Amino acid sequence: MKATARDLATKIRRNLFSTWYNVVITLTLSGVVAVVGTKALRWILIRAQWQVITTNFRVLMTGRYPKDEVWRIIVSILIVFTLAVITRIVRKQKKTDVYRWITVAWILSLPVITILLRGFGEDNNVLPGVKSEIWSGLMLTLVLAVIGITASFPLGILLALGRRSKLPVFRLVSTAYIELIRGVPLISVLFMSQLLLPLFLPPQIRLGTVVRALTGMTMFSAAYTAENIRGGLASVPKGQYEAARVLGLNSALVMILVVLPQALRAVIPALVGQFISLFKDTTLVVIVGLLDLLGIAKAVTGQVQFIGLHQELYCFVALVFFICCYSMSRASRRLEIALGVGNR
């Protein structure tokens, strides 16, 4: 115990008080943190009116989703939570033979959750239809982020492989798509998906606002994901290709079984950074008429009893985004440690 305290004191002295200017910097920053922290705590504990959050908590979480059907959202969350717990248990016990079934369960959970949230039709007594146009709040934010990430990842892989293809048609189309999408801001892609996408579809097909927004976000994220994956493919040594061919694998198996896993492993930090950026960019859908968590927060301030309470709402929204983004970052870090990224 004494040794530990002595080591801690030594580290503090070496890192914070080793020289006179380190002492000045440490004391100055400590004073700033103390002043700002004191004022922040006073505002949080005394002055802030948090009833704006407690009163509108359900609205912030589920938006305009029918109150009697909120149980569907709860069931969807339980499905994801259960799969996450099972996945962690299987990973700890290293039951590799179960990974296949866990992967299948995750893939099947997406259509199951989609059916739960959308329903079958307005006349259905079991799961009455809920139009996606009224989806809002944190629910809409998560739907946009999860589906956008899930859909853009395989599309990004195809674009990266297409850009490295020896066939000129695939290479030119993939390169043109990636450079075009990466050369314009996301908001322009969202407007394009809202206004121009219906012009390319048959008259009998009418996509909702949420689906069009998802299409634009998926297209945008896929272009950046493709470039990240292409960097990973370029980092794989040529000896890996040659060794795989010596084993008798054809080009497709070489890419799927040998090259692509190494490339994805190398770019995990970049991919997760892109997905976190996509999660935060979901707030831009308010410009095309959708009310995500931030949009609902702005709408709440329009209530007479809560006019002017912007700080409390924005702090709550910032906390939710921080928790989600930090969780993604921590999960990425655990995956990197498990795969030994940077160690071998």
Side-chain angles (χ1 to χ4, degrees):
M1 187 68 179
K2 292 182 179 179
T4 302
R6 190 181 303 112
D7 293 339
L8 179 61
T10 302
K11 289 182 179 179
I12 293 175
R13 184 169 58 254
R14 183 173 61 250
N15 296 325
L16 302 178
F17 301 99
S18 57
T19 61
W20 67 269
Y21 52 83
N22 277 344
V23 173
V24 173
I25 294 174
T26 299
L27 294 179
T28 302
L29 292 179
S30 299
V32 172
V33 170
V35 172
V36 174
T38 301
K39 291 185 177 180
L41 285 175
R42 186 181 296 115
W43 178 79
I44 293 172
L45 299 176
I46 300 175
R47 296 173 54 192
Q49 301 181 38
W50 297 112
Q51 64 269 24
V52 65
I53 304 297
T54 56
T55 304
N56 297 282
F57 185 77
R58 188 188 68 82
V59 177
L60 291 168
M61 295 295 102
T62 61
R64 296 178 294 167
Y65 203 85
K67 186 177 180 181
D68 296 336
E69 304 297 330
V70 172
W71 65 268
R72 305 191 201 178
I73 303 176
I74 298 175
V75 172
S76 301
I77 295 173
L78 289 176
I79 291 174
V80 175
F81 179 77
T82 302
L83 288 176
V85 172
I86 294 175
T87 303
R88 185 163 186 176
I89 293 174
V90 169
R91 186 185 300 119
K92 283 186 175 181
Q93 296 180 355
K94 297 181 179 180
K95 295 182 177 180
T96 56
D97 55 329
V98 188
Y99 283 157
R100 182 183 308 171
W101 300 107
I102 295 296
T103 303
V104 172
W106 276 109
I107 294 174
L108 293 178
S109 67
L110 290 176
V112 170
I113 291 175
T114 302
I115 293 173
L116 272 174
L117 296 179
R118 287 183 60 90
F120 294 109
E122 296 181 359
D123 299 331
N124 190 278
N125 295 325
V126 180
L127 284 177
V130 178
K131 295 182 179 179
S132 59
E133 283 75 9
I134 67 173
W135 293 4
S136 48
L138 180 61
M139 168 195 166
L140 178 60
T141 298
L142 294 177
V143 167
L144 291 172
V146 172
I147 297 181
I149 291 171
T150 304
S152 65
F153 181 67
L155 181 57
I157 293 177
L158 293 177
L159 288 170
L161 296 177
R163 189 162 188 175
R164 289 172 56 89
S165 175
K166 296 180 180 180
L167 298 177
V169 175
F170 292 148
R171 185 172 64 252
L172 291 176
V173 171
S174 299
T175 302
Y177 176 89
I178 292 171
E179 296 301 330
L180 175 64
I181 297 298
R182 292 177 72 239
V184 296
L186 174 57
I187 187 60
S188 64
V189 178
L190 288 175
F191 276 121
M192 181 188 70
S193 64
Q194 293 293 327
L195 302 176
L196 300 182
L197 184 60
L199 301 179
F200 296 94
L201 298 175
Q204 62 271 21
I205 298 179
R206 290 290 181 266
L207 299 180
T209 308
V210 173
V211 177
R212 282 179 280 171
L214 273 171
T215 302
M217 298 188 70
T218 301
M219 292 171 56
F220 185 83
S221 180
Y224 284 87
T225 302
E227 284 298 275
N228 291 331
I229 295 175
R230 187 171 70 91
L233 292 172
S235 68
V236 178
K238 292 184 179 180
Q240 296 292 317
Y241 294 84
E242 297 171 355
R245 291 193 182 97
V246 168
L247 294 176
L249 300 179
N250 56 37
S251 299
L253 291 178
V254 169
M255 182 59 64
I256 295 173
L257 299 179
V258 179
V259 178
L260 195 57
Q262 296 183 64
L264 295 177
R265 172 178 170 271
V267 296
I268 288 175
L271 289 176
V272 174
Q274 170 60 31
F275 294 154
I276 290 175
S277 177
L278 176 64
F279 178 78
K280 293 186 290 186
D281 286 341
T282 56
T283 55
L284 292 176
V285 297
V286 70
I287 301 177
V288 294
L290 296 175
L291 295 178
D292 67 319
L293 178 59
L294 185 60
I296 286 292
K298 291 180 180 179
V300 167
T301 59
Q303 300 176 12
V304 176
Q305 65 271 34
F306 300 127
I307 291 178
L309 299 181
H310 297 85
Q311 294 178 338
E312 291 84 350
L313 283 166
Y314 289 151
C315 285
F316 174 76
V317 171
L319 178 62
V320 171
F321 271 87
F322 172 78
I323 292 173
C324 294
C325 294
Y326 182 74
S327 299
M328 294 172 66
S329 179
R330 287 287 299 173
S332 168
R333 183 56 184 160
R334 288 197 296 268
L335 181 60
E336 292 175 35
I337 295 174
L339 297 178
V341 177
N343 296 328
R344 62 180 187 271

